[in-house]
Amino acid sequence: MKDVPARKRFEITVDGELAGFAEYRDESRTRIFTHTKVYSEFEGKGVGSLLARGALDEARSAGRSIVPLCPFIAHFVTENPEYGDLVDTKLYDALRY
């Protein structure tokens, strides 16, 4: 998994082939995840979880909070409460409606 700032997304590859990505936009010290895509041939193989975990770990190491507007990332955070402290709940509540 790697961050591709020029495309504003994290990309994950399997055997050199693009398997998925997680798009984001940054607002100050907050990373807003807007869309995640795992290509069908890689679904159900844990690729999305690796992608989400890597993107969230990067946010943590950079000292960023997150806003999971993307349903996949939001679900991942719900299922993995160790990432719950990253969520900027005030901004999340303001942006999700």
Side-chain angles (χ1 to χ4, degrees):
M1 193 239 19
K2 67 178 178 176
D3 186 10
V4 184
R7 297 180 109 170
K8 296 184 180 181
R9 69 186 196 179
F10 289 92
E11 296 180 347
I12 191 165
T13 58
V14 174
D15 297 329
E17 186 177 350
L18 182 63
F21 57 86
E23 295 177 336
Y24 63 83
R25 72 177 192 265
D26 291 334
E27 300 217 4
S28 187
R29 299 293 303 155
T30 302
R31 178 150 288 162
I32 301 168
F33 288 96
T34 57
H35 179 66
T36 301
K37 170 75 176 169
V38 173
Y39 294 105
S40 59
E41 59 268 31
F42 300 102
E43 289 179 352
K45 298 178 181 178
V47 171
S49 292
L50 286 173
L51 176 60
R53 189 173 304 281
L56 295 173
D57 287 345
E58 190 280 336
R60 185 183 303 285
S61 70
R64 293 183 179 275
S65 60
I66 67 152
V67 173
L69 294 182
C70 164
F72 185 87
I73 298 293
H75 179 75
F76 185 85
V77 170
T78 299
E79 294 295 313
N80 296 274
E82 66 271 22
Y83 292 106
D85 65 307
L86 292 175
V87 179
D88 180 332
T89 55
K90 189 173 184 177
L91 185 55
Y92 177 69
D93 288 343
L95 291 177
R96 70 182 170 148
Y97 296 108

